[in-house]
Amino acid sequence: MSDGAQGAGSTEPVVDVLAPREVLGHEVLVQGRIFDLVRDEVDLDHSVVHREYVDHPGAVAVVVLDDHDRVLLLRQYRHPVRRELWEPPAGLLDVAGEAAQIGAARELAEEADLVAASWHTLVDYYTTPGGNNEALRVFLARDLSPVPEADRHVREDEERDIEPRWVPLDEAADAVLRGDLHNPSAVVGVLAAVASRAGGWASLRPADAPWPERRQAQD
């Protein structure tokens, strides 16, 4: 019997677990404005290796649904990939001690001029665990109202040219599966919303659900 067949019969739950290896040395190679490039010397028990990765504060994204089952997507230029991507409102968790949902609400107001009365945790993921420790939480936000004109954020740089569009959720999911959408929070968030809706939204967690994967500001 192959290892694959043996693994298929396991009764252990499929759950990611915290299992740190001993770090023998840590070096900051490049210190950036938002995140750093670092190198760790890691003891894997059977060998010692050096691993370079981006040390990232983490981020949040918001799948925003209106009363017509449409999701809000924003077109924004992303320089590393030289493309304008359709993505949900999102932003960094770069305010020390700030709750993730508060940060998400701020991004929703700043990028989309919206306030949501209903918040839930939709899905959590690591964006690039092979080379980046960024943990990202995607919220589901509903029961929307506009930010008053006098209180609206003045968008600058890439955010200045943001184009919003309300897209039926099923159409957004089709766009993901066609390969038309590539922003990871759009891909993960849209498909998670479709799956959760199919189950009557029973999978939704509270907005303040535990999130041990989030890197703490003091780390």
Side-chain angles (χ1 to χ4, degrees):
M1 182 180 292
S2 69
D3 291 340
Q6 290 176 346
S10 174
T11 59
E12 295 184 6
V14 180
V15 179
D16 295 339
V17 296
L18 181 66
R21 274 44 171 183
E22 183 180 2
V23 176
L24 304 176
H26 176 79
E27 179 183 3
V28 177
L29 301 177
V30 179
Q31 187 169 28
R33 184 174 64 87
I34 297 172
F35 37 75
D36 302 330
L37 177 63
V38 302
R39 176 189 291 132
D40 285 352
E41 184 179 13
V42 187
D43 186 352
L44 299 180
D45 295 332
H46 50 76
S47 62
V48 174
V49 298
H50 291 85
R51 293 291 178 261
E52 297 172 358
Y53 61 96
V54 173
D55 187 21
H56 195 288
V60 287
V62 189
V63 170
V64 187
L65 286 184
D66 68 5
D67 294 337
H68 304 288
D69 209 28
R70 298 181 303 175
V71 61
L72 177 64
L73 296 177
L74 308 175
R75 183 159 67 181
Q76 185 172 175
Y77 176 65
R78 295 299 186 182
H79 185 69
V81 295
R82 309 299 199 271
R83 283 168 171 75
E84 293 179 344
L85 303 181
W86 288 100
E87 54 193 59
L92 296 168
L93 288 170
D94 53 0
V95 178
E98 183 178 62
Q101 188 267 323
I102 299 299
R106 183 183 63 252
E107 295 297 335
L108 179 60
E110 291 182 357
E111 294 190 349
D113 302 322
L114 290 173
V115 175
S118 173
W119 288 87
H120 291 89
T121 296
L122 179 62
V123 65
D124 302 324
Y125 70 101
Y126 287 118
T127 57
T128 318
N132 191 320
N133 65 358
E134 180 184 10
L136 198 146
R137 168 160 285 186
V138 183
F139 291 93
L140 179 70
R142 294 176 289 187
D143 299 334
L144 308 170
S145 59
V147 173
E149 288 277 355
D151 298 330
R152 293 188 177 181
H153 177 70
V154 178
R155 291 188 277 272
E156 300 176 338
D157 302 325
E158 289 91 344
E159 292 183 352
R160 181 177 178 177
D161 297 321
I162 280 177
E163 176 189 338
R165 185 175 299 180
W166 289 98
V167 181
L169 183 58
D170 289 329
E171 289 186 15
D174 289 343
V176 168
L177 297 178
R178 284 197 307 269
D180 292 340
L181 298 182
H182 301 87
N183 173 273
S185 293
V187 172
V188 173
V190 165
L191 296 183
V194 169
S196 186
R197 183 189 60 183
W201 301 109
S203 66
L204 294 178
R205 289 173 283 151
D208 61 352
W211 189 20
E213 293 78 19
R214 178 183 177 182
R215 194 199 76 177
Q216 299 303 307
Q218 65 269 22
D219 287 354

